[in-house]
Amino acid sequence: MGLYLTKELNDEARLGVWQITETEDELKALSSTPSDEMEEISYIKSESLRKQRLAVRALLNELFEDKVYLAHHDNGKPYIENSPINISITHTEKYVAVILDDRNEVGIDIESLDRDFSVVEMKALSEDEIDDLEEDKEEKNEQLAIYWCAKEAIYKKISQYGIDFAEQIEVEEFRYKGEGELEATFIHKDGHEEELELGYMTFDRHLLVWVCEED
């Protein structure tokens, strides 16, 4: 399938999604992965994870005119060595996605909606968020997926060690739809509150959530 979708978010930010249908050899041919990174990928035991890494590379080839060199900070946050553009990356077995922003830090997360998110309730939600959950099992699982992806995207954007998802990231009450917007607050350890706006969309039983600065 290759490039699944691209979306312009504002004047500086855009995202792209790649559907992984290719073989590993086909992805290698599409990805133009530098030799040192290809060697690193070759040590990954899981074929699925190798394909996800290669698919990220193939997607970057579609989104950039020139070849880019992807690296990671010590905390795992990705950056592009030969470009100042900000990037966040996410992947599942079937899809990889990236968000790019010329000026601001960004975050993105994707998950399969067929996954059981029940553990998220006690692991990552505040008491207020738990009170807002639906009683219907399927609707509740989709809500939990939104909470988890939103908090993961914010975590990637903020990029701080030791973030408490339940205490420091509060997602405002929402009703799940196929796509929409979310409002959230990140509470820094010094007490400063940062208001954030997120977007989300669903496709092929997958949920994609992103956070970037609005115009």
Side-chain angles (χ1 to χ4, degrees):
M1 175 68 185
L3 186 63
Y4 185 79
L5 68 84
T6 59
K7 184 177 180 68
E8 299 291 328
L9 303 176
N10 55 44
D11 290 342
E12 288 84 26
R14 64 190 188 278
L15 63 81
V17 179
W18 184 282
Q19 184 180 28
I20 305 173
T21 58
E22 302 82 3
T23 66
E24 187 171 350
D25 285 340
E26 287 172 337
L27 285 170
K28 286 179 181 178
L30 291 168
S31 64
S32 302
T33 307
S35 57
D36 56 342
E37 187 177 347
M38 186 64 78
E39 181 179 4
E40 179 184 334
I41 292 172
S42 70
Y43 292 127
I44 299 173
K45 293 182 178 180
S46 167
E47 179 186 9
S48 176
L49 291 177
R50 292 196 305 270
K51 289 172 69 173
Q52 291 170 38
R53 286 282 298 271
L54 291 168
V56 168
R57 272 300 187 171
L59 178 55
L60 291 178
N61 280 356
E62 291 286 340
L63 298 178
F64 287 88
E65 292 184 4
D66 299 322
K67 187 173 182 178
V68 294
Y69 295 88
L70 186 65
H72 294 81
H73 295 290
D74 291 341
N75 64 356
K77 185 178 180 66
Y79 68 96
I80 299 173
E81 291 182 335
N82 58 324
S83 171
I85 197 166
N86 297 289
I87 184 172
S88 184
I89 299 170
T90 185
H91 41 78
T92 64
E93 187 171 355
K94 290 182 64 175
Y95 293 94
V96 300
V98 304
I99 183 172
L100 307 168
D101 193 301
D102 292 336
R103 295 188 306 174
N104 303 296
E105 296 291 346
V106 286
I108 194 169
D109 195 57
I110 189 171
E111 292 285 354
S112 168
L113 288 171
D114 292 327
R115 171 184 162 187
D116 180 2
F117 288 93
S118 57
V119 69
V120 172
E121 181 173 350
M122 301 308 299
K123 178 181 179 181
L125 298 194
S126 67
E127 291 183 5
D128 287 342
E129 290 168 336
I130 291 173
D131 288 341
D132 291 336
L133 291 173
E134 298 284 353
E135 294 185 7
D136 179 82
K137 184 176 180 180
E138 183 175 351
E139 290 181 0
K140 181 178 178 180
N141 196 63
E142 291 172 339
Q143 268 189 300
L144 290 170
I146 284 271
Y147 277 121
W148 180 250
C149 285
K151 295 194 178 201
E152 273 286 319
I154 291 169
Y155 170 77
K156 291 178 180 180
K157 173 182 167 64
I158 300 296
S159 189
Q160 294 178 4
Y161 287 107
I163 290 176
D164 187 318
F165 277 32
E167 296 294 330
Q168 290 184 261
I169 306 175
E170 183 79 19
V171 179
E172 296 297 321
E173 184 178 3
F174 64 89
R175 286 295 170 258
Y176 175 78
K177 300 178 293 184
E179 61 180 306
E181 297 177 349
L182 304 165
E183 294 183 355
T185 303
F186 179 78
I187 304 170
H188 292 265
K189 292 181 179 179
D190 63 1
H192 171 66
E193 296 187 0
E194 183 175 348
E195 303 299 323
L196 299 166
E197 294 187 4
L198 302 91
Y200 72 90
M201 63 189 302
T202 56
F203 52 86
D204 189 24
R205 293 293 298 163
H206 281 70
L207 168 68
L208 182 69
V209 180
W210 61 88
V211 55
C212 63
E213 299 293 331
E214 296 294 319
D215 284 341

